[in-house]
Amino acid sequence: NGDVACKLAGDDGGICDRVQRVTPPIDLQRNLFAKAHAVGARVHLNAWGCKVPSGETGDYCNDYTSDAADMDTFMYLNPESLVVTAVGDAGEQASASTVASPATNKNG
């Protein structure tokens, strides 16, 4: 959990709230993955992505976006690296097209 005020369960019985808003940088390939790669990171775990708005179906996020393309570009240019991405949270809202960007990348 990215919340600095988060307390672990057991410390005082508190439970961390889920982070609701993550704003990744524009151009993930250069502004996120390449910087981490430069300091030795070779595996990247991304548990964030498009969120289906209320009233929409899973298709809303089932696109190949610039974020997905940035991940593909980075992995193509850095074959020793792996970017792993959560597929999405829309499984209960729709039975098809529930893989959410950026998990729609081709190389992850």
Side-chain angles (χ1 to χ4, degrees):
N1 188 314
D3 183 355
V4 295
C6 178
K7 294 186 174 147
L8 297 175
D11 288 347
D12 67 353
I15 297 175
C16 299
D17 289 329
R18 181 177 171 180
V19 174
Q20 294 297 317
R21 183 173 292 169
V22 173
T23 306
I26 294 173
D27 193 347
L28 296 173
Q29 195 271 127
R30 281 190 267 176
N31 296 320
L32 182 64
F33 303 129
K35 289 179 180 184
H37 189 272
V39 296
R42 296 298 181 263
V43 177
H44 306 267
L45 174 59
N46 301 304
W48 51 266
C50 180
K51 181 175 170 131
V52 178
S54 179
E56 295 288 341
T57 65
D59 307 25
Y60 180 88
C61 292
N62 187 243
D63 285 319
Y64 186 75
T65 63
S66 61
D67 286 346
D70 286 348
M71 290 181 185
D72 281 335
T73 299
F74 176 76
M75 286 187 286
Y76 177 79
L77 295 173
N78 301 280
E80 72 285 1
S81 294
L82 175 65
V83 178
V84 180
T85 308
V87 296
D89 293 330
E92 295 178 17
Q93 295 178 14
S95 60
S97 301
T98 59
V99 176
S101 178
T104 51
N105 72 75
K106 308 301 181 202
N107 294 312

